[in-house]
Amino acid sequence: AVASVLAVQPDVLILDEPTNHLDLVSIRWLEDRVWAYPGSVLFITHDLGVVAEMADRVAVMYTGMIVEEAPVKSLFGAPQHPYTVGLLRSVPRIGEDRSEQRKRLHIISGMVPDLLHLPRGCTFQDRC
């Protein structure tokens, strides 16, 4: 499906969770096509590894709103919003053994607010 859309070359290509259920070879194929793509590409994903590898800029969303936006290197190197910090701290690191990951893997406390009754101001305030 992605290959057929790439052949048409729209100005903006939106890929929603494009790497789900793909093997490494397919992901690398997609990465090569995206970097060579003449238009803009918008990735929607939960995979921070894909973001780090394939994006120039990243926007982090919480409760349907952008809470932080920056160049990838800036965001991964020095995240500003507490939700972004929590997300990055909750990803296992390659090279750590599983027992160390379990001890140090960060969990963002609290619950996502009811999307029908969001609090005023920052929707992350109760989890900060």
Coordinates of all heavy atoms in Angstrom, one line a residue, residues 22-112:
L22 N 6.0 -4.8 10.8 CA 7.0 -4.9 9.7 C 8.3 -5.5 10.3 O 8.7 -5.2 11.4 CB 7.3 -3.5 9.1 CG 6.3 -2.8 8.3 CD1 6.8 -1.5 7.8 CD2 5.7 -3.7 7.2
D23 N 9.0 -6.2 9.4 CA 10.3 -6.7 9.8 C 11.3 -5.7 9.6 O 11.1 -4.6 8.9 CB 10.6 -8.1 9.1 CG 10.7 -7.9 7.6 OD1 10.8 -6.8 7.1 OD2 10.5 -8.9 6.9
L24 N 12.6 -5.9 10.0 CA 13.6 -4.9 9.9 C 13.9 -4.5 8.4 O 14.1 -3.4 8.1 CB 14.9 -5.3 10.6 CG 16.0 -4.3 10.6 CD1 15.6 -3.0 11.3 CD2 17.2 -4.9 11.3
V25 N 13.9 -5.5 7.5 CA 14.1 -5.3 6.1 C 13.1 -4.3 5.5 O 13.4 -3.4 4.8 CB 14.2 -6.6 5.3 CG1 14.2 -6.4 3.8 CG2 15.4 -7.5 5.8
S26 N 11.8 -4.6 5.9 CA 10.7 -3.7 5.4 C 10.8 -2.3 5.9 O 10.6 -1.3 5.3 CB 9.4 -4.3 5.7 OG 9.2 -5.6 5.2
I27 N 11.2 -2.2 7.2 CA 11.4 -0.9 7.8 C 12.5 -0.1 7.1 O 12.4 1.1 6.8 CB 11.7 -1.0 9.3 CG1 10.4 -1.5 10.0 CG2 12.1 0.3 9.9 CD1 10.6 -1.8 11.5
R28 N 13.6 -0.8 6.8 CA 14.7 -0.1 6.1 C 14.3 0.3 4.7 O 14.7 1.3 4.2 CB 16.0 -1.0 6.1 CG 16.6 -1.3 7.4 CD 17.1 0.0 8.0 NE 17.6 -0.2 9.3 CZ 17.4 0.6 10.3 NH1 16.8 1.8 10.2 NH2 17.9 0.4 11.5
W29 N 13.5 -0.5 4.0 CA 13.0 -0.2 2.7 C 12.2 1.1 2.8 O 12.3 2.0 2.0 CB 12.1 -1.3 2.2 CG 11.5 -1.0 0.8 CD1 12.1 -1.3 -0.4 CD2 10.2 -0.4 0.6 NE1 11.2 -0.8 -1.4 CE2 10.1 -0.3 -0.8 CE3 9.2 0.0 1.4 CZ2 8.9 0.2 -1.4 CZ3 8.1 0.6 0.8 CH2 8.0 0.7 -0.5
L30 N 11.3 1.1 3.8 CA 10.4 2.3 4.0 C 11.3 3.5 4.3 O 11.1 4.6 3.8 CB 9.4 2.1 5.1 CG 8.5 3.2 5.5 CD1 7.6 3.6 4.3 CD2 7.7 2.8 6.7
E31 N 12.3 3.4 5.2 CA 13.2 4.5 5.5 C 13.9 5.0 4.3 O 13.9 6.3 4.1 CB 14.2 4.0 6.6 CG 15.1 5.1 7.1 CD 16.1 4.6 8.1 OE1 16.4 3.4 8.2 OE2 16.5 5.4 8.9
D32 N 14.4 4.2 3.5 CA 15.1 4.6 2.2 C 14.1 5.4 1.4 O 14.5 6.5 0.8 CB 15.6 3.4 1.4 CG 16.8 2.7 2.1 OD1 17.4 3.3 3.1 OD2 17.1 1.6 1.7
R33 N 12.9 5.0 1.2 CA 11.9 5.7 0.4 C 11.5 7.0 1.0 O 11.4 8.0 0.3 CB 10.7 4.8 0.2 CG 10.8 3.5 -0.5 CD 11.7 3.6 -1.8 NE 12.0 2.4 -2.4 CZ 12.9 1.5 -2.1 NH1 13.6 1.6 -0.9 NH2 13.2 0.4 -2.8
V34 N 11.4 7.1 2.3 CA 11.0 8.3 3.0 C 12.1 9.4 2.8 O 11.8 10.5 2.5 CB 10.6 8.0 4.4 CG1 10.6 9.3 5.2 CG2 9.3 7.3 4.5
W35 N 13.3 9.0 3.0 CA 14.4 10.0 2.9 C 14.6 10.5 1.5 O 15.0 11.6 1.3 CB 15.7 9.4 3.4 CG 15.8 9.4 4.9 CD1 15.9 8.3 5.7 CD2 15.9 10.5 5.8 NE1 15.9 8.7 7.1 CE2 15.9 10.1 7.1 CE3 15.9 11.9 5.6 CZ2 16.0 10.9 8.2 CZ3 15.9 12.8 6.7 CH2 16.0 12.3 7.9
A36 N 14.2 9.7 0.5 CA 14.3 10.1 -0.9 C 13.0 10.8 -1.3 O 13.0 11.4 -2.4 CB 14.6 8.9 -1.8
Y37 N 12.0 10.9 -0.5 CA 10.7 11.4 -0.9 C 10.8 12.9 -1.1 O 11.3 13.6 -0.3 CB 9.6 11.1 0.2 CG 8.2 11.3 -0.3 CD1 7.7 10.5 -1.2 CD2 7.5 12.4 0.1 CE1 6.4 10.7 -1.7 CE2 6.2 12.6 -0.3 CZ 5.7 11.8 -1.2 OH 4.4 12.0 -1.7
P38 N 10.2 13.4 -2.3 CA 10.4 14.8 -2.6 C 9.4 15.7 -1.8 O 9.6 16.9 -1.7 CB 10.0 14.8 -4.1 CG 9.1 13.7 -4.3 CD 9.6 12.6 -3.3
G39 N 8.4 15.2 -1.2 CA 7.4 16.0 -0.4 C 7.7 15.9 1.1 O 8.7 15.4 1.5
S40 N 6.7 16.3 1.8 CA 6.7 16.2 3.3 C 6.1 14.9 3.7 O 5.2 14.4 3.1 CB 5.9 17.3 3.9 OG 6.5 18.6 3.6
V41 N 6.7 14.3 4.8 CA 6.1 13.1 5.4 C 5.8 13.3 6.8 O 6.6 13.8 7.6 CB 7.2 11.9 5.2 CG1 6.6 10.6 5.8 CG2 7.6 11.7 3.8
L42 N 4.6 12.9 7.2 CA 4.1 13.0 8.6 C 4.0 11.6 9.1 O 3.2 10.9 8.6 CB 2.8 13.8 8.6 CG 2.1 13.9 10.0 CD1 2.9 14.7 11.0 CD2 0.7 14.5 9.8
F43 N 4.8 11.3 10.1 CA 4.6 10.0 10.8 C 3.8 10.2 12.0 O 4.0 11.1 12.8 CB 6.0 9.5 11.3 CG 6.9 8.9 10.3 CD1 7.8 9.6 9.6 CD2 6.7 7.6 10.0 CE1 8.6 9.0 8.7 CE2 7.5 7.0 9.0 CZ 8.4 7.7 8.4
I44 N 2.8 9.3 12.2 CA 2.1 9.2 13.5 C 2.4 7.9 14.1 O 2.1 6.8 13.5 CB 0.6 9.3 13.2 CG1 0.2 10.6 12.4 CG2 -0.2 9.2 14.5 CD1 -1.2 10.7 11.9
T45 N 3.1 7.9 15.2 CA 3.6 6.6 15.8 C 3.8 6.7 17.3 O 4.0 7.8 17.8 CB 4.9 6.2 15.1 OG1 5.3 4.9 15.5 CG2 6.0 7.2 15.3
H46 N 3.8 5.6 17.9 CA 4.2 5.5 19.3 C 5.6 5.0 19.4 O 6.2 4.9 20.5 CB 3.3 4.5 20.0 CG 1.9 5.0 20.2 ND1 0.9 4.8 19.2 CD2 1.3 5.7 21.2 CE1 -0.2 5.3 19.6 NE2 0.0 5.9 20.8
D47 N 6.3 4.6 18.3 CA 7.6 4.1 18.3 C 8.6 5.2 18.3 O 9.0 5.7 17.3 CB 7.7 3.1 17.1 CG 9.0 2.3 17.1 OD1 10.0 2.7 17.7 OD2 9.0 1.3 16.5
L48 N 9.2 5.4 19.5 CA 10.2 6.5 19.6 C 11.5 6.2 18.8 O 12.2 7.1 18.4 CB 10.5 6.8 21.0 CG 9.3 7.3 21.9 CD1 9.7 7.5 23.3 CD2 8.8 8.7 21.3
G49 N 11.8 4.9 18.6 CA 12.9 4.5 17.8 C 12.7 5.0 16.4 O 13.7 5.4 15.7
V50 N 11.6 4.8 15.8 CA 11.3 5.2 14.5 C 11.4 6.7 14.4 O 12.0 7.3 13.4 CB 9.8 4.8 14.0 CG1 9.4 5.5 12.7 CG2 9.8 3.3 13.9
V51 N 10.9 7.5 15.3 CA 11.0 8.9 15.3 C 12.5 9.3 15.3 O 12.9 10.2 14.5 CB 10.3 9.5 16.6 CG1 10.6 11.0 16.7 CG2 8.8 9.3 16.5
A52 N 13.3 8.7 16.2 CA 14.7 9.1 16.3 C 15.4 8.8 15.0 O 16.3 9.6 14.6 CB 15.3 8.3 17.4
E53 N 15.1 7.8 14.3 CA 15.7 7.4 13.1 C 15.3 8.1 11.8 O 16.0 8.4 10.9 CB 15.5 5.9 12.8 CG 16.3 5.0 13.7 CD 17.8 4.9 13.3 OE1 18.1 4.8 12.1 OE2 18.6 4.8 14.2
M54 N 14.0 8.4 11.7 CA 13.4 8.8 10.5 C 12.9 10.3 10.4 O 12.5 10.7 9.4 CB 12.2 7.9 10.1 CG 12.7 6.4 9.9 SD 11.4 5.3 9.6 CE 11.3 5.5 7.8
A55 N 12.9 10.9 11.5 CA 12.3 12.3 11.5 C 13.3 13.4 11.7 O 14.4 13.2 12.3 CB 11.2 12.4 12.7
D56 N 13.0 14.6 11.2 CA 13.8 15.8 11.4 C 13.2 16.5 12.6 O 14.0 17.1 13.4 CB 13.7 16.7 10.2 CG 14.3 16.1 9.0 OD1 15.4 15.4 9.1 OD2 13.8 16.3 7.9
R57 N 11.9 16.6 12.7 CA 11.2 17.3 13.8 C 10.2 16.3 14.4 O 9.7 15.5 13.8 CB 10.5 18.6 13.3 CG 11.5 19.6 12.8 CD 10.7 20.9 12.5 NE 10.3 21.6 13.7 CZ 11.1 22.3 14.5 NH1 12.4 22.4 14.2 NH2 10.7 22.9 15.6
V58 N 9.9 16.6 15.7 CA 8.9 15.7 16.4 C 8.0 16.6 17.2 O 8.4 17.6 17.8 CB 9.6 14.7 17.2 CG1 10.5 15.3 18.3 CG2 8.6 13.7 17.9
A59 N 6.7 16.2 17.2 CA 5.7 16.8 18.1 C 5.2 15.7 19.0 O 4.8 14.6 18.5 CB 4.6 17.4 17.3
V60 N 5.2 15.9 20.3 CA 4.7 15.0 21.2 C 3.3 15.4 21.6 O 3.0 16.6 21.9 CB 5.6 14.9 22.5 CG1 5.0 14.0 23.5 CG2 7.0 14.5 22.1
M61 N 2.3 14.5 21.5 CA 0.9 14.8 21.8 C 0.5 14.1 23.1 O 0.9 12.9 23.4 CB 0.0 14.4 20.7 CG 0.3 15.2 19.4 SD -0.8 14.7 18.1 CE -2.3 15.5 18.7
Y62 N -0.3 14.8 23.9 CA -1.0 14.2 25.1 C -2.4 14.7 25.1 O -2.6 15.9 24.9 CB -0.2 14.6 26.3 CG -0.8 14.1 27.6 CD1 -0.5 12.7 27.9 CD2 -1.5 14.8 28.4 CE1 -1.0 12.2 29.1 CE2 -2.1 14.3 29.6 CZ -1.8 13.0 29.9 OH -2.3 12.4 31.1
T63 N -3.3 13.8 25.2 CA -4.8 14.1 25.2 C -5.2 14.9 24.0 O -6.0 15.8 24.0 CB -5.3 14.9 26.5 OG1 -4.6 16.1 26.6 CG2 -5.0 14.1 27.7
G64 N -4.6 14.6 22.8 CA -4.9 15.2 21.6 C -4.4 16.5 21.3 O -4.7 17.2 20.3
M65 N -3.5 17.0 22.2 CA -2.8 18.3 22.0 C -1.3 18.2 22.0 O -0.8 17.3 22.7 CB -3.2 19.2 23.1 CG -4.7 19.6 23.1 SD -5.2 20.7 24.4 CE -5.4 19.5 25.8
I66 N -0.7 19.0 21.2 CA 0.8 19.0 21.1 C 1.3 19.7 22.4 O 0.9 20.8 22.7 CB 1.3 19.7 19.9 CG1 0.9 19.0 18.6 CG2 2.8 19.9 19.9 CD1 1.2 19.7 17.3
V67 N 2.1 18.9 23.2 CA 2.7 19.5 24.4 C 4.1 19.9 24.2 O 4.6 20.7 25.0 CB 2.5 18.5 25.6 CG1 1.0 18.3 25.9 CG2 3.2 17.2 25.3
E68 N 4.8 19.4 23.2 CA 6.2 19.8 22.9 C 6.5 19.5 21.5 O 6.1 18.5 20.9 CB 7.1 19.0 23.8 CG 8.5 19.4 23.7 CD 9.5 18.8 24.8 OE1 9.0 18.1 25.6 OE2 10.6 19.2 24.7
E69 N 7.2 20.4 20.9 CA 7.6 20.3 19.5 C 9.0 20.8 19.3 O 9.3 21.9 19.8 CB 6.6 21.0 18.6 CG 6.8 20.8 17.1 CD 7.7 21.9 16.5 OE1 7.8 23.0 17.0 OE2 8.4 21.5 15.5
A70 N 9.9 20.1 18.6 CA 11.3 20.5 18.5 C 12.0 19.6 17.5 O 11.5 18.6 17.1 CB 12.0 20.3 19.9
P71 N 13.2 20.0 17.1 CA 14.0 19.1 16.2 C 14.3 17.9 17.0 O 14.4 17.9 18.3 CB 15.3 19.9 16.0 CG 14.9 21.4 16.2 CD 13.8 21.3 17.3
V72 N 14.4 16.7 16.3 CA 14.6 15.4 17.0 C 15.7 15.4 18.0 O 15.6 15.0 19.1 CB 14.7 14.3 15.9 CG1 15.2 13.0 16.6 CG2 13.4 14.1 15.2
K73 N 16.9 15.9 17.5 CA 18.1 15.9 18.4 C 17.8 16.7 19.7 O 18.2 16.3 20.8 CB 19.3 16.4 17.7 CG 19.8 15.4 16.7 CD 21.1 15.8 16.0 CE 21.5 14.8 15.0 NZ 22.8 15.2 14.3
S74 N 17.2 17.9 19.6 CA 16.9 18.7 20.7 C 15.9 18.0 21.7 O 16.1 18.0 22.9 CB 16.3 20.0 20.3 OG 17.2 20.7 19.5
L75 N 14.9 17.4 21.1 CA 13.9 16.8 22.0 C 14.4 15.6 22.7 O 14.2 15.4 23.9 CB 12.6 16.5 21.1 CG 11.5 16.0 22.0 CD1 10.3 16.8 21.8 CD2 11.2 14.5 21.8
F76 N 15.1 14.8 22.0 CA 15.7 13.6 22.6 C 16.8 13.9 23.5 O 17.0 13.2 24.5 CB 16.1 12.5 21.5 CG 15.0 11.7 21.0 CD1 14.2 12.2 20.0 CD2 14.9 10.4 21.4 CE1 13.2 11.4 19.5 CE2 13.8 9.6 20.9 CZ 13.0 10.1 20.0
G77 N 17.5 15.0 23.3 CA 18.7 15.4 24.1 C 18.3 16.1 25.4 O 18.9 16.0 26.4
A78 N 17.2 16.9 25.3 CA 16.8 17.8 26.4 C 15.3 18.0 26.3 O 14.9 19.1 26.0 CB 17.6 19.1 26.4
P79 N 14.5 17.0 26.6 CA 13.1 17.2 26.6 C 12.6 18.2 27.6 O 13.2 18.3 28.7 CB 12.5 15.8 26.9 CG 13.6 15.1 27.6 CD 14.9 15.7 27.1
Q80 N 11.6 19.0 27.3 CA 11.2 20.1 28.2 C 9.9 19.8 28.9 O 9.7 20.2 30.1 CB 11.0 21.4 27.4 CG 12.2 21.9 26.7 CD 13.3 22.2 27.6 OE1 13.2 23.0 28.5 NE2 14.5 21.5 27.5
H81 N 8.9 19.1 28.3 CA 7.7 18.8 28.9 C 7.8 17.6 29.8 O 8.4 16.6 29.4 CB 6.6 18.7 27.9 CG 5.2 18.7 28.5 ND1 4.6 17.6 29.0 CD2 4.3 19.8 28.6 CE1 3.4 18.0 29.5 NE2 3.2 19.2 29.2
P82 N 7.1 17.6 31.0 CA 7.2 16.4 31.8 C 6.7 15.1 31.2 O 7.2 14.0 31.5 CB 6.4 16.8 33.1 CG 6.3 18.2 33.0 CD 6.4 18.7 31.6
Y83 N 5.7 15.2 30.3 CA 5.2 14.0 29.6 C 6.3 13.5 28.7 O 6.5 12.2 28.7 CB 3.9 14.3 28.9 CG 3.4 13.1 28.2 CD1 3.0 12.0 28.9 CD2 3.3 13.1 26.8 CE1 2.5 10.9 28.2 CE2 2.8 12.0 26.1 CZ 2.4 10.9 26.8 OH 1.9 9.8 26.2
T84 N 7.0 14.3 28.0 CA 8.0 13.9 27.1 C 9.2 13.2 27.9 O 9.7 12.2 27.5 CB 8.6 15.1 26.3 OG1 7.5 15.7 25.6 CG2 9.6 14.6 25.2
V85 N 9.5 13.8 29.0 CA 10.5 13.2 29.9 C 10.1 11.8 30.3 O 10.9 10.9 30.2 CB 10.8 14.2 31.1 CG1 11.7 13.5 32.1 CG2 11.4 15.5 30.7
G86 N 8.9 11.7 30.7 CA 8.4 10.4 31.2 C 8.4 9.4 30.1 O 8.7 8.2 30.3
L87 N 8.0 9.8 28.9 CA 8.0 8.9 27.7 C 9.4 8.4 27.4 O 9.6 7.2 27.3 CB 7.5 9.6 26.5 CG 6.0 9.7 26.3 CD1 5.7 10.5 25.0 CD2 5.3 8.4 26.3
L88 N 10.3 9.3 27.4 CA 11.7 8.9 27.1 C 12.3 8.0 28.2 O 13.1 7.1 27.9 CB 12.6 10.1 26.8 CG 12.2 10.9 25.5 CD1 13.0 12.2 25.4 CD2 12.3 10.0 24.3
R89 N 11.9 8.3 29.4 CA 12.5 7.5 30.5 C 11.8 6.1 30.6 O 12.4 5.2 31.2 CB 12.3 8.2 31.8 CG 13.2 9.4 32.0 CD 13.0 10.1 33.3 NE 13.2 9.2 34.4 CZ 12.7 9.5 35.6 NH1 11.9 10.5 35.8 NH2 12.9 8.6 36.6
S90 N 10.7 5.9 29.9 CA 10.0 4.6 30.0 C 10.4 3.6 28.9 O 9.8 2.5 28.8 CB 8.5 4.9 29.9 OG 8.1 5.3 28.7
V91 N 11.3 4.0 28.0 CA 11.7 3.1 26.9 C 12.9 2.3 27.4 O 13.9 2.9 27.9 CB 12.1 4.0 25.7 CG1 12.6 3.1 24.6 CG2 10.9 4.8 25.2
P92 N 12.9 1.0 27.3 CA 14.0 0.2 27.6 C 15.2 0.5 26.8 O 15.1 0.9 25.6 CB 13.6 -1.3 27.3 CG 12.1 -1.2 27.2 CD 11.8 0.2 26.8
R93 N 16.4 0.5 27.3 CA 17.7 0.8 26.6 C 18.4 -0.5 26.1 O 18.5 -1.4 26.9 CB 18.6 1.6 27.5 CG 18.0 2.8 28.1 CD 18.0 3.9 27.0 NE 17.4 5.1 27.6 CZ 16.3 5.7 27.1 NH1 15.8 5.3 26.0 NH2 15.8 6.8 27.7
I94 N 18.9 -0.5 24.9 CA 19.6 -1.6 24.4 C 20.9 -1.7 25.2 O 21.5 -0.7 25.5 CB 19.9 -1.4 22.9 CG1 18.6 -1.4 22.1 CG2 20.9 -2.4 22.4 CD1 18.8 -1.1 20.7
G95 N 21.2 -3.0 25.6 CA 22.5 -3.2 26.3 C 22.2 -3.4 27.8 O 23.1 -3.9 28.5
E96 N 21.1 -3.0 28.3 CA 20.7 -3.2 29.7 C 20.1 -4.6 29.8 O 19.3 -5.0 29.0 CB 19.7 -2.2 30.2 CG 20.3 -0.8 30.3 CD 19.2 0.2 30.9 OE1 18.0 -0.2 30.9 OE2 19.6 1.3 31.2
D97 N 20.5 -5.4 30.9 CA 19.8 -6.7 31.0 C 18.4 -6.5 31.5 O 18.1 -5.4 32.1 CB 20.7 -7.6 31.9 CG 20.8 -7.2 33.3 OD1 19.8 -6.8 33.9 OD2 21.9 -7.2 33.8
R98 N 17.6 -7.4 31.4 CA 16.2 -7.3 31.7 C 16.0 -7.0 33.2 O 15.0 -6.2 33.6 CB 15.4 -8.6 31.4 CG 15.2 -8.7 29.9 CD 14.1 -9.7 29.6 NE 13.8 -9.9 28.2 CZ 13.0 -9.1 27.6 NH1 12.4 -8.1 28.1 NH2 12.7 -9.3 26.3
S99 N 16.8 -7.5 34.1 CA 16.6 -7.2 35.5 C 16.8 -5.8 35.8 O 16.1 -5.1 36.6 CB 17.5 -8.1 36.4 OG 18.8 -7.9 36.1
E100 N 17.8 -5.2 35.2 CA 18.1 -3.7 35.3 C 17.0 -2.9 34.7 O 16.6 -1.9 35.3 CB 19.4 -3.4 34.7 CG 20.6 -3.8 35.5 CD 20.7 -3.2 36.9 OE1 20.6 -2.0 37.0 OE2 20.8 -4.0 37.8
Q101 N 16.4 -3.3 33.6 CA 15.3 -2.6 33.0 C 14.1 -2.6 33.9 O 13.5 -1.5 34.1 CB 14.9 -3.2 31.6 CG 15.9 -3.0 30.5 CD 15.5 -3.7 29.3 OE1 14.5 -4.3 29.2 NE2 16.4 -3.6 28.3
R102 N 13.8 -3.7 34.5 CA 12.7 -3.8 35.4 C 12.9 -2.8 36.6 O 11.9 -2.2 37.1 CB 12.4 -5.2 35.9 CG 11.8 -6.0 34.8 CD 11.4 -7.4 35.4 NE 11.1 -8.3 34.3 CZ 11.8 -9.3 33.9 NH1 12.9 -9.6 34.5 NH2 11.5 -10.0 32.9
K103 N 14.1 -2.8 37.1 CA 14.3 -1.9 38.3 C 14.2 -0.4 38.0 O 13.8 0.4 38.8 CB 15.8 -2.2 38.8 CG 15.9 -3.5 39.5 CD 17.4 -3.6 40.0 CE 17.7 -5.0 40.5 NZ 19.1 -5.2 40.7
R104 N 14.7 -0.1 36.8 CA 14.8 1.4 36.5 C 13.8 1.9 35.5 O 13.8 3.1 35.2 CB 16.2 1.7 35.9 CG 17.3 1.4 37.0 CD 18.6 1.9 36.5 NE 19.2 0.9 35.6 CZ 20.1 1.2 34.8 NH1 20.6 2.4 34.7 NH2 20.6 0.2 34.0
L105 N 13.0 1.0 34.9 CA 12.0 1.5 33.9 C 11.0 2.4 34.5 O 10.4 2.0 35.5 CB 11.3 0.3 33.2 CG 10.6 0.5 31.9 CD1 11.6 1.1 30.9 CD2 10.0 -0.8 31.4
H106 N 10.9 3.6 34.0 CA 10.1 4.6 34.6 C 8.6 4.4 34.2 O 8.3 4.0 33.0 CB 10.5 6.0 34.1 CG 9.7 7.1 34.5 ND1 9.7 7.6 35.8 CD2 8.8 7.9 33.9 CE1 8.9 8.6 36.0 NE2 8.3 8.8 34.8
I107 N 7.7 4.6 35.1 CA 6.3 4.5 34.9 C 5.7 5.9 35.1 O 6.0 6.5 36.2 CB 5.6 3.5 35.8 CG1 6.1 2.1 35.4 CG2 4.1 3.5 35.6 CD1 5.7 1.0 36.4
I108 N 4.9 6.4 34.2 CA 4.3 7.7 34.4 C 3.1 7.5 35.4 O 2.2 6.7 35.0 CB 3.8 8.4 33.1 CG1 5.1 8.6 32.2 CG2 3.1 9.7 33.4 CD1 4.7 9.0 30.8
S109 N 3.2 8.0 36.5 CA 2.1 7.8 37.5 C 0.8 8.5 37.1 O 0.8 9.4 36.3 CB 2.5 8.3 38.9 OG 2.8 9.7 38.9
G110 N -0.3 8.1 37.8 CA -1.6 8.7 37.5 C -2.3 8.1 36.3 O -1.9 7.1 35.7
M111 N -3.4 8.7 36.0 CA -4.3 8.3 34.9 C -4.5 9.4 33.9 O -4.5 10.6 34.3 CB -5.6 7.9 35.5 CG -5.6 6.7 36.5 SD -5.1 5.2 35.7 CE -6.5 4.9 34.7
V112 N -4.7 9.0 32.7 CA -5.0 10.0 31.6 C -6.4 10.6 32.0 O -7.3 9.8 32.4 CB -5.1 9.3 30.2 CG1 -5.5 10.3 29.2 CG2 -3.7 8.7 29.9

